[in-house]
Amino acid sequence: DLRLRDNPALFRASESGGEVAPVFAWCPEEERAQTLAAGGRDWSYEGTTLQLLTSTALQALDSDINKWYANRLWILHGTSVDSGVAAALLALAKELGATEIHFNRRHEPTERYREAQLEQLCRSAGIIAKGHSGFLFREPEQCPIFEAVGKGMHVFKAFWDGWHKGGNIRKALPWPETCSAPSSWSTSVAFAGSAEPKWPFGKVPMSRVTGRPLTEDLELLEQWEMTEEAAQRALQRFQEEGGLARYKGSITRDAGPKAKESRLSPYFRLGLLSMVDAWWMTDQSSDQSRKWLRRCAWRDYSYWMLHHWPELPEVPMRTAYAEFHWSTARSDPKLEAWRQGKTGYPLVDAAMRELRQTGYLQQNLRHTVGQFLVETLGADWRDGEEWFHIALADSDLAINSMMWQHQGVVGVSQWLVG
């Protein structure tokens, strides 16, 4: 959650007025170790469009923390799979003499594993570990959804029913009043010297989209200003300049001056913008506002699924499709033509070139190219999911997995029971 406003972990850590060490951890090796060891695909974010945008977001956050608090953001990277992020965080806490570690909870399987490991290590070390809800409207455990499913309600209606029974949406938090730097840190240099200023992840990986060094994908950086201030401006523009007033949910298709989409998803994905903050900042008196917020709640729905089915990225929820044979192999030239936007179908090709160049696709186009891949080319839905994971500026394991399970007709139906 790369923001100062409504960042529960940062706010609570700062309440005492003592020294605070903001830390961002990056360890794609740990993510790969869990997925590839099981014979799966690489669901890490190394070499992806999202990593490129994360680099600029981290630079902006480090600059903001220094500007407003004379503090810095520490980058924890280069940890080995054997030691792991949790052990590295604990070692840093001991080095700084910290008595508490605050973190915003996440729900990707690797992140849940890290959080559980961190809590266990902290208990043994006598350090308090406190998890906070900062990413979703409501945590998956809050929503009694299976009860409604058991009564015969179809899955999304059951989710919507259980989601509303999950308690009040928390109030958004302001910026911390203080966030004093650890006395041992050098705050005159970016990231307190923990990482290179222009690329905080160590060695620059090759882009999994273009095959070039990731930092050379400059066209993507021109599309997005990844700062907290830009995220707030984008939300305000959507609310005040007509996009929200024209919003019509799933039939929102217009582009150009008539565009109704918010294009806020990359900001929500990296936590530059808080979903909870957007909830309270939106006038909910209109049908359009309520429709938009309902669509935003699908994010909670996808994470509820991933929470209860951690194998969602690769294992069909409809088990009868587990051994289904797809007619187009991963090495088939037709699949590469789809990725490159060279299928010969103008709408599909335009959409895929837009994705490659901007990292973004409007929702209906995501479904259009997905349906083409699965139903026209006969390719495995996971091949499409993997490309979206690599190429999207708002790449999100939960949302992407849910969407592609549905696209491949192997997931739960959004509309029917069974």
Side-chain angles (χ1 to χ4, degrees):
D1 293 304
L2 307 182
R3 63 181 183 270
L4 298 176
R5 181 183 170 100
D6 193 44
N7 187 324
L10 183 64
F11 185 86
R12 297 305 176 195
S14 303
E15 278 186 311
S16 67
E19 294 182 351
V20 176
V23 179
F24 177 85
W26 175 262
C27 186
E29 295 84 359
E30 201 168 57
E31 296 161 1
R32 280 195 292 269
Q34 292 200 17
T35 57
L36 295 178
R41 302 175 188 232
D42 181 0
W43 299 115
S44 77
Y45 293 98
E46 187 168 50
T48 67
T49 296
L50 189 69
Q51 184 187 14
L52 182 62
L53 298 186
T54 301
S55 69
T56 62
L58 290 172
Q59 292 168 39
L61 180 59
D62 178 63
S63 178
D64 284 348
I65 291 174
N66 185 248
K67 176 181 178 180
W68 298 108
Y69 303 109
N71 201 343
R72 286 291 186 179
L73 176 67
W74 187 271
I75 305 296
L76 197 62
H77 67 90
T79 56
S80 69
V81 174
D82 294 333
S83 59
V85 168
L89 279 170
L90 181 63
L92 180 61
K94 288 180 176 179
E95 179 185 329
L96 295 172
T99 58
E100 296 181 354
I101 296 178
H102 294 258
F103 59 90
N104 291 324
R105 284 190 294 270
R106 300 297 289 268
H107 297 280
E108 292 190 11
T110 301
E111 291 167 334
R112 290 173 61 191
Y113 169 78
R114 287 172 181 162
E115 291 171 10
Q117 190 179 40
L118 178 64
E119 289 173 337
Q120 182 180 3
L121 290 172
C122 284
R123 279 194 297 271
S124 300
I127 292 177
I128 298 171
K130 294 184 178 181
H132 303 275
S133 177
F135 192 63
L136 303 174
F137 285 130
R138 294 184 173 100
E139 297 294 296
E141 303 92 332
Q142 291 179 257
C143 307
I145 296 163
F146 288 112
E147 180 182 335
V149 174
K151 293 179 180 178
M153 195 176 291
H154 73 62
V155 179
F156 183 73
K157 271 195 174 180
F159 167 77
W160 199 234
D161 178 78
W163 187 81
H164 280 288
K165 293 176 180 176
N168 295 326
I169 292 177
R170 65 175 180 81
K171 296 294 184 182
L173 296 166
W175 286 29
E177 290 186 8
T178 63
C179 186
S180 302
S183 57
S184 60
W185 279 12
S186 173
T187 58
S188 61
V189 294
F191 303 119
S194 63
E196 290 296 319
K198 293 185 178 180
W199 184 255
F201 304 113
K203 183 180 178 181
V204 177
M206 302 302 287
S207 168
R208 291 156 70 181
V209 176
T210 65
R212 303 188 300 245
L214 189 57
T215 50
E216 293 182 12
D217 288 349
L218 300 178
E219 188 174 28
L220 280 166
L221 291 179
E222 294 171 358
Q223 301 291 327
W224 305 98
E225 183 183 354
M226 301 307 291
T227 69
E228 183 173 359
E229 182 182 359
Q232 290 288 338
R233 286 201 309 269
L235 175 61
Q236 185 177 11
R237 185 166 55 249
F238 175 62
Q239 292 174 329
E240 297 179 359
E241 295 184 9
L244 181 58
R246 297 190 300 269
Y247 191 82
K248 295 181 180 179
S250 61
I251 61 171
T252 300
R253 293 185 175 90
D254 292 341
K258 295 183 179 180
K260 306 175 185 73
E261 59 189 350
S262 71
R263 293 179 69 92
L264 294 173
S265 52
Y267 299 119
F268 284 132
R269 175 61 184 90
L270 287 178
L272 292 163
L273 186 62
S274 159
M275 189 68 78
V276 168
D277 207 13
W279 173 277
W280 292 112
M281 292 173 68
T282 300
D283 179 359
Q284 300 179 31
S285 62
S286 70
D287 288 341
Q288 289 81 5
S289 295
R290 290 191 291 271
K291 283 181 181 177
W292 181 66
L293 290 170
R294 178 184 170 100
R295 300 298 294 184
C296 289
W298 278 69
R299 188 165 177 254
D300 282 23
Y301 180 40
S302 68
Y303 274 93
W304 172 77
M305 281 191 175
L306 187 63
H307 179 84
H308 291 287
W309 289 277
E311 67 279 6
L312 190 70
E314 299 207 34
V315 179
M317 295 186 74
R318 293 175 182 255
T319 55
Y321 289 91
E323 302 300 326
F324 188 82
H325 175 71
W326 301 94
S327 57
T328 298
R330 292 179 74 180
S331 58
D332 194 301
K334 292 195 294 289
L335 185 58
E336 183 60 21
W338 176 81
R339 294 191 192 102
Q340 300 293 333
K342 297 180 179 179
T343 66
Y345 290 79
L347 180 60
V348 171
D349 290 348
M352 294 305 291
R353 290 196 297 270
E354 180 183 357
L355 171 60
R356 188 180 179 89
Q357 292 170 15
T358 71
Y360 187 80
L361 270 186
Q362 189 267 353
Q363 180 194 5
N364 290 284
L365 288 175
R366 297 187 193 204
H367 287 296
T368 297
V369 299
Q371 185 177 20
F372 181 87
L373 178 75
V374 173
E375 298 186 22
T376 302
L377 297 185
D380 191 328
W381 57 276
R382 285 161 290 210
D383 293 332
E385 178 192 12
E386 187 174 29
W387 185 249
F388 271 33
H389 178 82
I390 292 167
L392 281 170
D394 56 16
S395 178
D396 184 298
L397 190 65
I399 295 173
N400 205 29
S401 300
M402 180 186 74
M403 177 255 180
W404 278 98
Q405 286 250 4
H406 185 57
Q407 199 68 65
V409 202
V410 300
V412 297
S413 169
Q414 313 301 344
W415 316 117
L416 303 173
V417 177

